[in-house]
Amino acid sequence: MTTADPRCIPLCASSALQDGGRAVAFDVLYAGQPCRAFAIRYAGQVHAYLNRCAHVAMEMDYQEGQFFDDSGQWLLCATHGAVYAPDTGRCIEGPCCGASLVKIELTETAGQVHWHTAPSLQPAFP
C-alpha cells in the first residue's frame, strides 16, 4: 500500500513517537464498534494496537498514552497486570499469557506515520 491508497490514513508525525515513550491515541471502528487504538515506537519501529487488553476488553493505559513500563521495554495493562511485548503485542506474563493484542498495520514514510484499514478495521469518522 502506498500513502496515496485510501486505506492508508495519516496518523501523526514520526517525531510524535519516541522509543518507549507516550503513545499516540486514535479512534477506530473495530468490527463495527467504536474503539480506541494506540501507536508506539519500540526499537526504532512503529507499532499500533487496539487499546483492549487480551484478557478482558478494557483500555490498558494507566494515564492517557502511558502504556510502557518504567524501563520502556514492555507494554502493561493497568487493570489486569498483563505484560505485552511491544513489537508483537503478545502477552508474556499475566492472566492472558500467550494471547495477543489486536495489531494495526502502520507504515512510516517521509516523516509521517500512517495506519491502514482492514475489513474489520475502519476509520471512526469518515
Side-chain angles (χ1 to χ4, degrees):
M1 278 186 238
T2 67
T3 55
D5 189 315
R7 296 171 293 173
C8 181
I9 300 171
L11 176 60
C12 65
S14 294
S15 61
L17 297 173
Q18 301 299 316
D19 263 288
R22 290 183 69 84
V24 170
F26 57 108
D27 294 308
V28 299
L29 289 176
Y30 178 68
Q33 299 296 315
C35 190
R36 297 286 281 165
F38 65 96
I40 55 157
R41 184 179 300 279
Y42 175 74
Q45 300 298 311
V46 292
H47 304 278
Y49 303 98
L50 289 185
N51 188 358
R52 292 172 38 165
C53 182
H55 174 58
V56 175
M58 295 178 67
E59 291 190 2
M60 298 177 9
D61 43 347
Y62 57 93
Q63 291 181 349
E64 180 72 27
Q66 295 289 339
F67 294 90
F68 280 101
D69 68 353
D70 290 340
S71 73
Q73 296 299 305
W74 305 105
L75 301 176
L76 302 177
C77 174
T79 303
H80 306 111
V83 179
Y84 296 92
D87 54 345
T88 64
R90 187 165 179 84
C91 182
I92 59 152
E93 184 178 316
C96 52
C97 195
S100 293
L101 300 173
V102 176
K103 190 153 181 86
I104 298 171
E105 182 184 353
L106 295 181
T107 52
E108 184 174 25
T109 55
Q112 183 74 33
V113 177
H114 295 82
W115 69 277
H116 299 268
T117 64
S120 64
L121 186 70
Q122 297 296 314
F125 308 103

